[in-house]
Amino acid sequence: MMKMGNNDAEEKKVVSVFRSKTRKLHTTRSWDFLGLSEAVSRRNAAAESNVIVGLLDSGIWMEGPSFKDDGYGEIPSKWKGKCVTGRNFTSCNRKVIGARFFDIGQIDNSIDKSPADEIGHGSHTASTIAGASVDGASFYGVAGGTARGGVPGARIAMYKVCWVDGCSDVDLLAGFDHAIADGVDIISVSIGGESTEFFNDPIAIGSFHAMEKGILTSCSAGNSGPELKTVENTAPWIMTVAASTIDRDFSTVVKLGNNKKLSGVSVNTFTPKKQMYPLISGSNAALPNQSDPYLDPSWCDSGTLDEKKVKGKIVYCLGSMDQEYTISELGGKGVISNLMNVSETAITTPIPSTHLSSTNSDYVEAYINSTKNPKAVIYKTTTRKVDAPYLASFSSKGPQTIALNILKPDIAAPGVNILAAYSNLASITNNRHSLFNLLSGTSMAFPHSAAAAAYLKAFHPTWSPAALKSALMTTATPLKIGDKLDVIGAGTGQINPIKAVHPGLIYDLTRTSYLSFLCTNKRYSDSGSALAILTGDTSLNCSDVPRASGFDAINYPSMYVPVDRNATSVSAVFHRTVTHVGFGPSTYIAKVKSPAGLSVKVSPDTLKFDRAYKKLSFKVVVKGAAPAVGQAPLTASLEWDDSKHYVRSPILVFKV
C-alpha cells in the first residue's frame, strides 16, 4: 500500500491509500538526424551545465564512458540530492551528480541493493539524454561512430525505481518526491501500465506535483502499436512521446549457394568464418515420429529438431520466435527466418541470423527443395540510408481512453535502433556484454524529447513545463504517413529542437488551467476526494476553480474531435490563447489546411502583438460531415505565420 503527500515532510498527511501495482519498463545517428549535431553552437555552455535531468528508471552503470565527468565544472548549487552507494556502485561524479534506489514495494529480493543498472535500460536512456561524447562507439562494430546525448553538458540524477521483475507504484511515487525535492529541471519516465484515471495513476500524480514546481515530465507512449487506444501516460501535463524512425536502417544479407543475395533485418554482429555453410530447413531437420500438434519443426520449435541434422548448418525456419536460441543449443551455425510482417526493428541475435520478407523466404525454401546440397552464408550487419521519419509500427496509438478530447501522444522522437550506453551487469545474448547496445521502443524515443526539453531549458530557464512542451509540439516536423491511422499515433510530428528554441508563439498552461480542465469532469467536480488525491490538497474544491470553456476545456497545442459512432456531423469550438515569445512587435496570420467536407474557421484570423510576452486569444470552429467508422482521421491544421515563425497545430477528427 502507499501514501501520497506533497513531499517527504508531508508523509504523515495521508490523502489516499491504494494498492501498489507492479509496472513495466517500456524498452548515434539520431541526434544528427534531428539537426542537433555536435557542431551546433550553444548560446551558453554554462546554462546547459546547470540543467539537471532526473530519470526514474532501472539505475545507471557508472563505469561506462558516457558517464565520465572529464571537463565538467562544479555541481550546480541548486542541487539538494544525494548519492547512495552500494553493490557495483561506489560513487557519483560531476556528470552523474545523484543516484538513489527505491524498493519499498519489495520487487527485488537481493540484500545488497544499489543504484547500479542490472538491466541496461536506465544507462541507455540516461546516455541518450545527456551522455558525454564517446568516439569510436559501436555495438560489436555495428553502427559505429560517436555516441552522445542531446545535452551532453547537462547533469544526470538517477532514481532507480525499476528492478529485473518490474517497477512498483510506491517506488515510482517515492522517486518523483525525491526528484522534485532534489532540484531537477526535467523528469524522464520510461514506465507504463494500463491506463487509469489520473487520480489512480502514480505517474499522473507524480508528474502533476512536478508540474507545480515547474518541472516537465517526459514519458513514453507505450509499445502496443499498431493497435488503437493503446497509448499510455496521457495526462495533459505530461509530454507523451511516440517512437519514430530515423534515416539509418540495418541490413543483414544472406548469400545462397547459387550466388543469390537476399537482404533481411537483424543485428548480426558475427563475421562468417567460412565462405559457405550447409543449409537445411526446419522441416527437413525434424526428429522422427514428432507428433505434438502444438509444435512445428518447420518453425524450428524447441524439441522438434534432430541435433545431428542441425549441427554445423544454417537452418531455415518459417517463423521468427527466438529460434536462434534453439538452433544455437543444437550446434547450428545460423538461422534464416521468415519475418512474415517486415518490421523496421532490427533484433540482436545470439548467432548469425537474418529475418527475411515472405517473398525472399519463399525463394530460400524453393532453393532448398530444388538443390541437392544447399548452402548459405550470413554476413555481418551493415547500415543503409532509408526514407524517414515514419511512425514506428510498435508505437502505441491513440485515441486515449481517459481525457477523450485530448490528442495523445503529443509528439514523436527517434525510437528505432538507437545506439546508446548499456550496462556490463546486463547480458545481451548468450552471456555477451557491451558498453553500448542497439535498442528500439518508445523508451528510446522519450529520452530524445526529454533532452530536447532540457536543451530548451538552457535557453529559457523561466519557461513553464507547458511552454517547453508547446514549443516542441508546434515546431515539430510532420511524420511521413505509412498507414492511414498513423496520424492518430504521431502527435504533432517529430521533434525539432533547433526550431523549438524560437517557436514564436506558445500555448501556455498553469496549475489553475489544469484544475479547470479536470473540473469539467464529473469524477472531479462531484467529488472533492479525486481532486485531493491528485493534487494532495484536501481543501481544494472545484467550486473554487475558474470554469474552463471550449470543446476540450484546455489551452492545448493540438485539437482533437472524437466523433460518436452514430454521429453524422461534426461541430466543435476550441478556445485558445497564445503568448508571443519572439522579439518586439509581430503580426501573425492564420493559415488553415483542411480536407474537403471539413470547415475550419479561425476568429480572429490575424493576431497583432506590440510587445513580447503579450497574450492574445482566438477561437477555432470545426464543422462538417462525420467520417465513417474505420475511415482515416480527417486531418486539418492551423498554422500561425509571421514570415519568421510557423506555429503549427494539427486538428484531427476521428470516429472510432
Side-chain angles (χ1 to χ4, degrees):
M1 310 294 278
M2 69 179 72
K3 301 175 182 178
M4 291 177 292
N6 284 331
N7 52 46
D8 290 340
E10 297 182 43
E11 284 185 352
K12 294 181 180 179
K13 175 184 173 184
V14 180
V15 175
S16 176
V17 179
F18 59 84
R19 185 170 299 280
S20 175
K21 299 176 183 176
T22 300
R23 297 173 181 262
K24 295 181 180 180
L25 287 161
H26 279 159
T27 82
T28 290
R29 170 66 189 151
S30 56
W31 286 116
D32 288 342
F33 181 62
L34 292 173
L36 201 58
S37 67
E38 284 191 290
V40 170
S41 60
R42 300 175 189 279
R43 183 192 67 169
N44 186 348
E48 186 174 298
S49 181
N50 197 49
V51 175
I52 304 170
V53 181
L55 292 97
L56 277 60
D57 217 300
S58 66
I60 194 166
W61 176 246
M62 287 296 295
E63 305 306 314
S66 297
F67 307 118
K68 301 299 182 186
D69 67 351
D70 299 343
Y72 287 85
E74 294 300 315
I75 293 172
S77 58
K78 64 183 179 182
W79 174 246
K80 300 179 180 65
K82 296 196 306 184
C83 182
V84 178
T85 59
R87 183 183 59 184
N88 296 314
F89 198 97
T90 57
S91 67
C92 298
N93 58 23
R94 289 173 297 178
K95 158 57 79 176
V96 182
I97 61 175
R100 302 174 186 259
F101 66 88
F102 304 90
D103 192 21
I104 306 166
Q106 298 181 334
I107 295 290
D108 186 73
N109 294 322
S110 61
I111 298 173
D112 187 10
K113 301 172 185 177
S114 80
D117 185 8
E118 299 174 343
I119 301 173
H121 193 279
S123 300
H124 199 279
T125 57
S127 66
T128 301
I129 296 172
S133 293
V134 181
D135 294 331
S138 73
F139 180 60
Y140 289 98
V142 176
T146 299
R148 59 184 173 82
V151 280
R155 316 302 179 111
I156 296 168
M158 176 59 69
Y159 301 86
K160 182 176 179 178
V161 299
C162 293
W163 306 81
V164 173
D165 293 326
C167 331
S168 77
D169 287 354
V170 66
D171 295 332
L172 271 169
L173 282 174
F176 266 112
D177 277 349
H178 281 280
I180 294 166
D182 289 346
V184 305
D185 297 292
I186 304 290
I187 292 178
S188 178
V189 185
S190 164
I191 301 161
E194 183 180 353
S195 291
T196 185
E197 294 293 342
F198 301 143
F199 56 81
N200 282 330
D201 182 348
I203 297 176
I205 295 169
S207 58
F208 188 91
H209 289 252
M211 175 275 300
E212 291 180 305
K213 298 296 183 182
I215 304 166
L216 175 62
T217 300
S218 176
C219 291
S220 47
N223 301 320
S224 299
E227 285 76 18
L228 298 176
K229 293 186 176 182
T230 53
V231 63
E232 303 169 12
N233 298 319
T234 58
W237 47 87
I238 290 174
M239 181 163 64
T240 310
V241 187
S244 55
T245 62
I246 60 173
D247 62 348
R248 180 191 66 190
D249 195 7
F250 296 106
S251 172
T252 304
V253 172
V254 57
K255 181 181 177 181
L256 303 178
N258 62 1
N259 289 324
K260 177 74 171 180
K261 290 183 178 180
L262 303 169
S263 179
V265 178
S266 72
V267 178
N268 173 39
T269 61
F270 303 97
T271 300
K273 295 180 180 179
K274 296 181 180 180
Q275 288 188 340
M276 282 284 165
Y277 296 84
L279 174 64
I280 192 170
S281 65
S283 55
N284 290 340
L287 285 167
N289 303 318
Q290 167 59 40
S291 60
D292 190 328
Y294 298 103
L295 297 177
D296 188 344
S298 65
W299 281 66
C300 302
D301 289 339
S302 179
T304 66
L305 303 181
D306 188 332
E307 182 176 1
K308 293 179 182 179
K309 294 180 180 179
V310 169
K311 190 172 183 179
K313 296 183 178 72
I314 292 175
V315 184
Y316 167 71
C317 307
L318 279 184
S320 53
M321 301 291 289
D322 297 328
Q323 300 96 326
E324 290 94 348
Y325 291 92
T326 298
I327 302 304
S328 177
E329 290 170 359
L330 296 175
K333 293 299 182 181
V335 175
I336 301 170
S337 62
N338 184 346
L339 193 59
M340 305 245 174
N341 295 312
V342 177
S343 169
E344 68 280 292
T345 305
I347 305 299
T348 301
T349 61
I351 58 174
S353 178
T354 186
H355 305 144
L356 302 180
S357 67
S358 292
T359 300
N360 285 345
S361 295
D362 290 344
Y363 184 93
V364 172
E365 188 168 18
Y367 165 74
I368 292 172
N369 294 333
S370 63
T371 306
K372 185 176 181 180
N373 295 304
K375 295 180 180 180
V377 63
I378 301 170
Y379 294 111
K380 188 173 181 176
T381 295
T382 58
T383 60
R384 60 187 177 187
K385 189 160 185 171
V386 294
D387 194 25
Y390 288 90
L391 184 71
S393 60
F394 57 78
S395 190
S396 291
K397 289 186 171 75
Q400 64 158 306
T401 58
I402 306 301
L404 302 181
N405 295 345
I406 295 181
L407 180 65
K408 288 281 186 169
D410 293 309
I411 203 163
V416 178
N417 304 327
I418 304 300
L419 180 74
Y422 209 58
S423 171
N424 270 358
L425 298 177
S427 175
I428 297 171
T429 57
N430 285 1
N431 204 33
R432 293 198 300 163
H433 301 269
S434 175
L435 290 173
F436 296 91
N437 198 1
L438 286 161
L439 297 177
S440 297
T442 52
S443 285
M444 286 62 254
F446 87 91
H448 284 88
S449 289
Y455 181 72
L456 294 190
K457 190 77 173 179
F459 286 86
H460 306 290
T462 62
W463 277 14
S464 70
L468 296 173
K469 185 168 80 167
S470 172
L472 288 167
M473 290 177 66
T474 60
T475 58
T477 303
L479 297 187
K480 300 174 187 293
I481 301 302
D483 179 86
K484 66 179 183 179
L485 295 177
D486 281 355
V487 292
I488 206 72
T492 61
Q494 182 171 268
I495 56 170
N496 187 330
I498 301 299
K499 284 183 66 175
V501 172
H502 300 294
L505 304 174
I506 56 172
Y507 293 83
D508 210 355
L509 289 159
T510 64
R511 178 180 186 270
T512 300
S513 306
Y514 292 118
L515 294 177
S516 295
F517 162 78
L518 291 170
C519 286
T520 61
N521 188 320
K522 287 188 175 182
R523 293 182 183 88
Y524 296 91
S525 60
D526 291 353
S527 172
S529 62
L531 209 58
I533 293 169
L534 180 64
T535 65
D537 186 351
T538 56
S539 65
L540 188 61
N541 193 289
C542 280
S543 61
D544 303 321
V545 177
R547 186 175 179 83
S549 61
F551 180 78
D552 53 1
I554 193 168
N555 193 40
Y556 220 65
S558 59
M559 300 171 214
Y560 174 61
V561 185
V563 182
D564 184 78
R565 184 178 183 86
N566 298 318
T568 58
S569 63
V570 174
S571 179
V573 179
F574 297 90
H575 293 267
R576 294 293 187 264
T577 299
V578 287
T579 305
H580 173 43
V581 293
F583 302 102
S586 189
T587 299
Y588 284 83
I589 298 173
K591 294 185 176 180
V592 171
K593 294 180 180 179
S594 61
L598 187 69
S599 169
V600 178
K601 301 293 185 183
V602 182
S603 178
D605 59 6
T606 301
L607 300 177
K608 294 183 178 181
F609 298 91
D610 55 15
R611 56 181 172 80
Y613 290 97
K614 182 175 182 177
K615 298 177 184 290
L616 291 176
S617 298
F618 62 94
K619 69 178 180 179
V620 179
V621 180
V622 179
K623 289 185 177 181
V629 174
Q631 180 183 337
L634 300 178
T635 305
S637 66
L638 164 63
E639 185 177 85
W640 288 105
D641 178 1
D642 73 343
S643 77
K644 295 179 181 178
H645 307 94
Y646 306 95
V647 189
R648 179 181 171 276
S649 293
I651 304 169
L652 262 66
V653 179
F654 187 45
K655 179 183 284 189
V656 181

